[in-house]
Amino acid sequence: MNKSVDPFYSFSKEDHVSSLILPDDYIITDIAAIRVVECAVHAMGEGSALSAVLLDGPPGIGKTFLGKAVAKAIGARHMLFQFFPGCGKEELLRDKSIDGTLVPGIIPLSITSSIENKTVLILNELDKADVSVDSFLLDFINESQLFVPQLGGELKANNSNLLIVITKNDLRDATEALLRRCRVIYMNWPSVEMETKLIKMYNPWATEKFCEIFINAANQLRRHPGVKKKPSPPELVRLISDCWRIRHQQMTLLEWSQFLLTGLLPLPQDRKYLDQNPMALASEVRNLLSEINDLCRIRFNGIPE
């Protein structure tokens, strides 16, 4: 009998044995993304082009973290460039030192690094860059080299040592040509099981029931097309940590509901989309916190802070 899979979620970790030894602190939240990145790693050095992967999806689901984890797994240096609104290819090619002289930018630096070292170049949030950057990256990936007269002429990468990881937050489409050249994956929100593991990594005191209260509320909001700022896994981790920190404060139920609503939905215009009554949510959270606090006192004769 075939297992039914909700396409909204990722697969479970048990469905996959990674061919990369990922760091201990990395929790696989999207099996398909891991498979795509593994293929890109194994393809390094094939032909004359660079191996490249484009990770798309909502903010906060671990695209950049995956790039860093893969760098650790293959013993590579990771080099990160954060795109900003209006960023063009010049910012990738050249930078300015304190005294104003031109120095190599992130692309030439990654090329130099690849000559002798395994290198993972993470280009973060392509959406923010000018669309002309897509064509520039396509040429670089296709040729594994650049010609920059100001930096000495031809710069050629060792394509056996250089992996390009481009992340995108689904804010604009990448050009079709760049999509064809990269291995592309749209990373989904994690399953309840995987997101619970992520939360408990930073909040070991949290019970599964406590985690699911927040995850279920977040998933309802993530599915809603009207929500502009959807709650990400890191934001849930932070909100749950903050709940523990303020558990002893004498807050009314209304204050708790306002605190939780702000943590889940920082944009006021999004708050109307929460199906659950904020007061009921606050009551459940506060009661469970009290129970967990008492259990910790009994079990450990003390409360983890």
PDB file of all heavy atoms in Angstrom, residues 187-210:
ATOM      1  N   MET A 187      12.135  24.383  -1.415  1.00  0.00           N
ATOM      2  CA  MET A 187      12.124  23.797  -0.081  1.00  0.00           C
ATOM      3  C   MET A 187      10.816  24.130   0.632  1.00  0.00           C
ATOM      4  O   MET A 187      10.430  25.295   0.725  1.00  0.00           O
ATOM      5  CB  MET A 187      13.331  24.292   0.738  1.00  0.00           C
ATOM      6  CG  MET A 187      14.653  23.755   0.228  1.00  0.00           C
ATOM      7  SD  MET A 187      16.087  24.336   1.195  1.00  0.00           S
ATOM      8  CE  MET A 187      15.774  23.543   2.789  1.00  0.00           C
ATOM      9  N   ASN A 188      10.155  23.087   1.122  1.00  0.00           N
ATOM     10  CA  ASN A 188       8.885  23.258   1.814  1.00  0.00           C
ATOM     11  C   ASN A 188       9.088  23.479   3.306  1.00  0.00           C
ATOM     12  O   ASN A 188      10.186  23.294   3.839  1.00  0.00           O
ATOM     13  CB  ASN A 188       8.014  22.016   1.614  1.00  0.00           C
ATOM     14  CG  ASN A 188       7.386  21.981   0.238  1.00  0.00           C
ATOM     15  OD1 ASN A 188       6.839  22.979  -0.215  1.00  0.00           O
ATOM     16  ND2 ASN A 188       7.477  20.849  -0.429  1.00  0.00           N
ATOM     17  N   TRP A 189       8.005  23.853   3.971  1.00  0.00           N
ATOM     18  CA  TRP A 189       8.034  23.909   5.427  1.00  0.00           C
ATOM     19  C   TRP A 189       8.272  22.503   5.963  1.00  0.00           C
ATOM     20  O   TRP A 189       7.852  21.521   5.352  1.00  0.00           O
ATOM     21  CB  TRP A 189       6.702  24.437   5.962  1.00  0.00           C
ATOM     22  CG  TRP A 189       6.339  25.801   5.477  1.00  0.00           C
ATOM     23  CD1 TRP A 189       5.405  26.116   4.542  1.00  0.00           C
ATOM     24  CD2 TRP A 189       6.903  27.048   5.902  1.00  0.00           C
ATOM     25  NE1 TRP A 189       5.341  27.472   4.348  1.00  0.00           N
ATOM     26  CE2 TRP A 189       6.255  28.077   5.171  1.00  0.00           C
ATOM     27  CE3 TRP A 189       7.891  27.403   6.826  1.00  0.00           C
ATOM     28  CZ2 TRP A 189       6.557  29.426   5.338  1.00  0.00           C
ATOM     29  CZ3 TRP A 189       8.196  28.751   6.986  1.00  0.00           C
ATOM     30  CH2 TRP A 189       7.545  29.738   6.250  1.00  0.00           C
ATOM     31  N   PRO A 190       8.940  22.359   7.100  1.00  0.00           N
ATOM     32  CA  PRO A 190       9.219  21.019   7.639  1.00  0.00           C
ATOM     33  C   PRO A 190       7.961  20.333   8.145  1.00  0.00           C
ATOM     34  O   PRO A 190       6.951  20.979   8.435  1.00  0.00           O
ATOM     35  CB  PRO A 190      10.201  21.301   8.791  1.00  0.00           C
ATOM     36  CG  PRO A 190       9.927  22.711   9.195  1.00  0.00           C
ATOM     37  CD  PRO A 190       9.523  23.431   7.936  1.00  0.00           C
ATOM     38  N   SER A 191       8.034  19.013   8.269  1.00  0.00           N
ATOM     39  CA  SER A 191       6.948  18.255   8.873  1.00  0.00           C
ATOM     40  C   SER A 191       6.848  18.621  10.351  1.00  0.00           C
ATOM     41  O   SER A 191       7.781  19.189  10.940  1.00  0.00           O
ATOM     42  CB  SER A 191       7.198  16.753   8.726  1.00  0.00           C
ATOM     43  OG  SER A 191       8.331  16.381   9.507  1.00  0.00           O
ATOM     44  N   VAL A 192       5.738  18.286  10.970  1.00  0.00           N
ATOM     45  CA  VAL A 192       5.555  18.535  12.405  1.00  0.00           C
ATOM     46  C   VAL A 192       6.650  17.828  13.197  1.00  0.00           C
ATOM     47  O   VAL A 192       7.230  18.397  14.129  1.00  0.00           O
ATOM     48  CB  VAL A 192       4.158  18.065  12.870  1.00  0.00           C
ATOM     49  CG1 VAL A 192       4.036  18.181  14.390  1.00  0.00           C
ATOM     50  CG2 VAL A 192       3.071  18.884  12.193  1.00  0.00           C
ATOM     51  N   GLU A 193       6.962  16.605  12.791  1.00  0.00           N
ATOM     52  CA  GLU A 193       7.991  15.832  13.493  1.00  0.00           C
ATOM     53  C   GLU A 193       9.350  16.520  13.425  1.00  0.00           C
ATOM     54  O   GLU A 193      10.044  16.660  14.441  1.00  0.00           O
ATOM     55  CB  GLU A 193       8.092  14.432  12.870  1.00  0.00           C
ATOM     56  CG  GLU A 193       9.192  13.568  13.468  1.00  0.00           C
ATOM     57  CD  GLU A 193       9.459  12.320  12.653  1.00  0.00           C
ATOM     58  OE1 GLU A 193       8.983  12.235  11.500  1.00  0.00           O
ATOM     59  OE2 GLU A 193      10.165  11.434  13.165  1.00  0.00           O
ATOM     60  N   MET A 194       9.734  16.964  12.229  1.00  0.00           N
ATOM     61  CA  MET A 194      11.044  17.580  12.073  1.00  0.00           C
ATOM     62  C   MET A 194      11.111  18.947  12.749  1.00  0.00           C
ATOM     63  O   MET A 194      12.130  19.313  13.331  1.00  0.00           O
ATOM     64  CB  MET A 194      11.390  17.707  10.585  1.00  0.00           C
ATOM     65  CG  MET A 194      11.649  16.386   9.905  1.00  0.00           C
ATOM     66  SD  MET A 194      13.018  15.523  10.707  1.00  0.00           S
ATOM     67  CE  MET A 194      12.455  13.838  10.596  1.00  0.00           C
ATOM     68  N   GLU A 195      10.027  19.698  12.675  1.00  0.00           N
ATOM     69  CA  GLU A 195      10.040  21.012  13.322  1.00  0.00           C
ATOM     70  C   GLU A 195      10.065  20.862  14.839  1.00  0.00           C
ATOM     71  O   GLU A 195      10.687  21.659  15.540  1.00  0.00           O
ATOM     72  CB  GLU A 195       8.837  21.837  12.881  1.00  0.00           C
ATOM     73  CG  GLU A 195       8.967  23.318  13.218  1.00  0.00           C
ATOM     74  CD  GLU A 195       8.087  24.216  12.392  1.00  0.00           C
ATOM     75  OE1 GLU A 195       7.206  23.716  11.658  1.00  0.00           O
ATOM     76  OE2 GLU A 195       8.267  25.446  12.463  1.00  0.00           O
ATOM     77  N   THR A 196       9.413  19.805  15.351  1.00  0.00           N
ATOM     78  CA  THR A 196       9.472  19.526  16.793  1.00  0.00           C
ATOM     79  C   THR A 196      10.906  19.233  17.218  1.00  0.00           C
ATOM     80  O   THR A 196      11.377  19.728  18.247  1.00  0.00           O
ATOM     81  CB  THR A 196       8.564  18.337  17.149  1.00  0.00           C
ATOM     82  OG1 THR A 196       7.206  18.664  16.837  1.00  0.00           O
ATOM     83  CG2 THR A 196       8.663  17.994  18.629  1.00  0.00           C
ATOM     84  N   LYS A 197      11.620  18.433  16.421  1.00  0.00           N
ATOM     85  CA  LYS A 197      13.022  18.121  16.733  1.00  0.00           C
ATOM     86  C   LYS A 197      13.875  19.387  16.727  1.00  0.00           C
ATOM     87  O   LYS A 197      14.763  19.553  17.578  1.00  0.00           O
ATOM     88  CB  LYS A 197      13.575  17.109  15.730  1.00  0.00           C
ATOM     89  CG  LYS A 197      13.023  15.710  15.901  1.00  0.00           C
ATOM     90  CD  LYS A 197      13.685  14.740  14.926  1.00  0.00           C
ATOM     91  CE  LYS A 197      13.156  13.331  15.128  1.00  0.00           C
ATOM     92  NZ  LYS A 197      13.779  12.362  14.196  1.00  0.00           N
ATOM     93  N   LEU A 198      13.599  20.261  15.783  1.00  0.00           N
ATOM     94  CA  LEU A 198      14.343  21.519  15.702  1.00  0.00           C
ATOM     95  C   LEU A 198      14.088  22.370  16.939  1.00  0.00           C
ATOM     96  O   LEU A 198      15.022  22.921  17.540  1.00  0.00           O
ATOM     97  CB  LEU A 198      13.933  22.277  14.440  1.00  0.00           C
ATOM     98  CG  LEU A 198      14.580  23.646  14.225  1.00  0.00           C
ATOM     99  CD1 LEU A 198      16.090  23.498  14.041  1.00  0.00           C
ATOM    100  CD2 LEU A 198      13.961  24.348  13.012  1.00  0.00           C
ATOM    101  N   ILE A 199      12.837  22.473  17.352  1.00  0.00           N
ATOM    102  CA  ILE A 199      12.495  23.272  18.538  1.00  0.00           C
ATOM    103  C   ILE A 199      13.139  22.687  19.781  1.00  0.00           C
ATOM    104  O   ILE A 199      13.708  23.412  20.615  1.00  0.00           O
ATOM    105  CB  ILE A 199      10.964  23.346  18.702  1.00  0.00           C
ATOM    106  CG1 ILE A 199      10.350  24.195  17.584  1.00  0.00           C
ATOM    107  CG2 ILE A 199      10.590  23.935  20.066  1.00  0.00           C
ATOM    108  CD1 ILE A 199       8.838  24.120  17.511  1.00  0.00           C
ATOM    109  N   LYS A 200      13.091  21.359  19.908  1.00  0.00           N
ATOM    110  CA  LYS A 200      13.617  20.706  21.114  1.00  0.00           C
ATOM    111  C   LYS A 200      15.152  20.747  21.173  1.00  0.00           C
ATOM    112  O   LYS A 200      15.725  20.607  22.245  1.00  0.00           O
ATOM    113  CB  LYS A 200      13.115  19.267  21.187  1.00  0.00           C
ATOM    114  CG  LYS A 200      11.629  19.168  21.548  1.00  0.00           C
ATOM    115  CD  LYS A 200      11.122  17.744  21.509  1.00  0.00           C
ATOM    116  CE  LYS A 200      11.676  16.912  22.651  1.00  0.00           C
ATOM    117  NZ  LYS A 200      11.220  17.396  23.966  1.00  0.00           N
ATOM    118  N   MET A 201      15.789  20.942  20.024  1.00  0.00           N
ATOM    119  CA  MET A 201      17.243  21.083  20.046  1.00  0.00           C
ATOM    120  C   MET A 201      17.642  22.307  20.869  1.00  0.00           C
ATOM    121  O   MET A 201      18.640  22.300  21.592  1.00  0.00           O
ATOM    122  CB  MET A 201      17.791  21.210  18.621  1.00  0.00           C
ATOM    123  CG  MET A 201      19.291  21.508  18.557  1.00  0.00           C
ATOM    124  SD  MET A 201      19.893  21.759  16.878  1.00  0.00           S
ATOM    125  CE  MET A 201      19.826  20.088  16.255  1.00  0.00           C
ATOM    126  N   TYR A 202      16.839  23.380  20.767  1.00  0.00           N
ATOM    127  CA  TYR A 202      17.129  24.630  21.473  1.00  0.00           C
ATOM    128  C   TYR A 202      16.317  24.772  22.761  1.00  0.00           C
ATOM    129  O   TYR A 202      16.667  25.581  23.621  1.00  0.00           O
ATOM    130  CB  TYR A 202      16.854  25.825  20.559  1.00  0.00           C
ATOM    131  CG  TYR A 202      17.728  25.847  19.328  1.00  0.00           C
ATOM    132  CD1 TYR A 202      17.282  25.309  18.124  1.00  0.00           C
ATOM    133  CD2 TYR A 202      19.020  26.372  19.376  1.00  0.00           C
ATOM    134  CE1 TYR A 202      18.099  25.313  16.995  1.00  0.00           C
ATOM    135  CE2 TYR A 202      19.834  26.380  18.259  1.00  0.00           C
ATOM    136  CZ  TYR A 202      19.368  25.848  17.071  1.00  0.00           C
ATOM    137  OH  TYR A 202      20.178  25.845  15.962  1.00  0.00           O
ATOM    138  N   ASN A 203      15.253  23.991  22.872  1.00  0.00           N
ATOM    139  CA  ASN A 203      14.392  24.035  24.063  1.00  0.00           C
ATOM    140  C   ASN A 203      14.110  22.610  24.522  1.00  0.00           C
ATOM    141  O   ASN A 203      12.997  22.089  24.339  1.00  0.00           O
ATOM    142  CB  ASN A 203      13.073  24.753  23.731  1.00  0.00           C
ATOM    143  CG  ASN A 203      13.270  26.187  23.317  1.00  0.00           C
ATOM    144  OD1 ASN A 203      13.494  27.062  24.148  1.00  0.00           O
ATOM    145  ND2 ASN A 203      13.200  26.442  22.016  1.00  0.00           N
ATOM    146  N   PRO A 204      15.107  21.939  25.096  1.00  0.00           N
ATOM    147  CA  PRO A 204      14.935  20.519  25.461  1.00  0.00           C
ATOM    148  C   PRO A 204      13.841  20.273  26.489  1.00  0.00           C
ATOM    149  O   PRO A 204      13.369  19.151  26.637  1.00  0.00           O
ATOM    150  CB  PRO A 204      16.316  20.132  26.011  1.00  0.00           C
ATOM    151  CG  PRO A 204      16.988  21.416  26.362  1.00  0.00           C
ATOM    152  CD  PRO A 204      16.454  22.432  25.411  1.00  0.00           C
ATOM    153  N   TRP A 205      13.425  21.294  27.203  1.00  0.00           N
ATOM    154  CA  TRP A 205      12.369  21.164  28.192  1.00  0.00           C
ATOM    155  C   TRP A 205      10.990  21.030  27.556  1.00  0.00           C
ATOM    156  O   TRP A 205      10.034  20.554  28.175  1.00  0.00           O
ATOM    157  CB  TRP A 205      12.353  22.404  29.107  1.00  0.00           C
ATOM    158  CG  TRP A 205      12.243  23.689  28.339  1.00  0.00           C
ATOM    159  CD1 TRP A 205      13.272  24.474  27.889  1.00  0.00           C
ATOM    160  CD2 TRP A 205      11.032  24.314  27.868  1.00  0.00           C
ATOM    161  NE1 TRP A 205      12.779  25.549  27.187  1.00  0.00           N
ATOM    162  CE2 TRP A 205      11.413  25.479  27.163  1.00  0.00           C
ATOM    163  CE3 TRP A 205       9.680  24.019  27.997  1.00  0.00           C
ATOM    164  CZ2 TRP A 205      10.493  26.334  26.577  1.00  0.00           C
ATOM    165  CZ3 TRP A 205       8.755  24.859  27.406  1.00  0.00           C
ATOM    166  CH2 TRP A 205       9.166  26.008  26.709  1.00  0.00           C
ATOM    167  N   ALA A 206      10.844  21.463  26.310  1.00  0.00           N
ATOM    168  CA  ALA A 206       9.534  21.521  25.654  1.00  0.00           C
ATOM    169  C   ALA A 206       9.019  20.123  25.337  1.00  0.00           C
ATOM    170  O   ALA A 206       9.747  19.281  24.795  1.00  0.00           O
ATOM    171  CB  ALA A 206       9.619  22.353  24.384  1.00  0.00           C
ATOM    172  N   THR A 207       7.776  19.853  25.663  1.00  0.00           N
ATOM    173  CA  THR A 207       7.143  18.574  25.337  1.00  0.00           C
ATOM    174  C   THR A 207       6.634  18.630  23.894  1.00  0.00           C
ATOM    175  O   THR A 207       6.482  19.705  23.307  1.00  0.00           O
ATOM    176  CB  THR A 207       5.967  18.288  26.274  1.00  0.00           C
ATOM    177  OG1 THR A 207       4.974  19.304  26.106  1.00  0.00           O
ATOM    178  CG2 THR A 207       6.423  18.264  27.729  1.00  0.00           C
ATOM    179  N   GLU A 208       6.359  17.451  23.322  1.00  0.00           N
ATOM    180  CA  GLU A 208       5.836  17.411  21.967  1.00  0.00           C
ATOM    181  C   GLU A 208       4.493  18.132  21.881  1.00  0.00           C
ATOM    182  O   GLU A 208       4.217  18.839  20.896  1.00  0.00           O
ATOM    183  CB  GLU A 208       5.689  15.952  21.499  1.00  0.00           C
ATOM    184  CG  GLU A 208       7.024  15.267  21.244  1.00  0.00           C
ATOM    185  CD  GLU A 208       6.852  13.909  20.604  1.00  0.00           C
ATOM    186  OE1 GLU A 208       5.714  13.562  20.234  1.00  0.00           O
ATOM    187  OE2 GLU A 208       7.863  13.197  20.464  1.00  0.00           O
ATOM    188  N   LYS A 209       3.674  17.964  22.905  1.00  0.00           N
ATOM    189  CA  LYS A 209       2.368  18.617  22.909  1.00  0.00           C
ATOM    190  C   LYS A 209       2.522  20.133  22.893  1.00  0.00           C
ATOM    191  O   LYS A 209       1.793  20.843  22.181  1.00  0.00           O
ATOM    192  CB  LYS A 209       1.567  18.180  24.140  1.00  0.00           C
ATOM    193  CG  LYS A 209       0.157  18.751  24.196  1.00  0.00           C
ATOM    194  CD  LYS A 209      -0.592  18.230  25.412  1.00  0.00           C
ATOM    195  CE  LYS A 209      -2.009  18.824  25.479  1.00  0.00           C
ATOM    196  NZ  LYS A 209      -2.747  18.338  26.670  1.00  0.00           N
ATOM    197  N   PHE A 210       3.492  20.632  23.668  1.00  0.00           N
ATOM    198  CA  PHE A 210       3.725  22.074  23.720  1.00  0.00           C
ATOM    199  C   PHE A 210       4.197  22.583  22.363  1.00  0.00           C
ATOM    200  O   PHE A 210       3.723  23.617  21.873  1.00  0.00           O
ATOM    201  CB  PHE A 210       4.750  22.395  24.802  1.00  0.00           C
ATOM    202  CG  PHE A 210       4.890  23.855  25.111  1.00  0.00           C
ATOM    203  CD1 PHE A 210       3.961  24.497  25.910  1.00  0.00           C
ATOM    204  CD2 PHE A 210       5.943  24.597  24.604  1.00  0.00           C
ATOM    205  CE1 PHE A 210       4.071  25.851  26.210  1.00  0.00           C
ATOM    206  CE2 PHE A 210       6.075  25.949  24.891  1.00  0.00           C
ATOM    207  CZ  PHE A 210       5.133  26.574  25.695  1.00  0.00           C
TER     208      PHE A 210
END
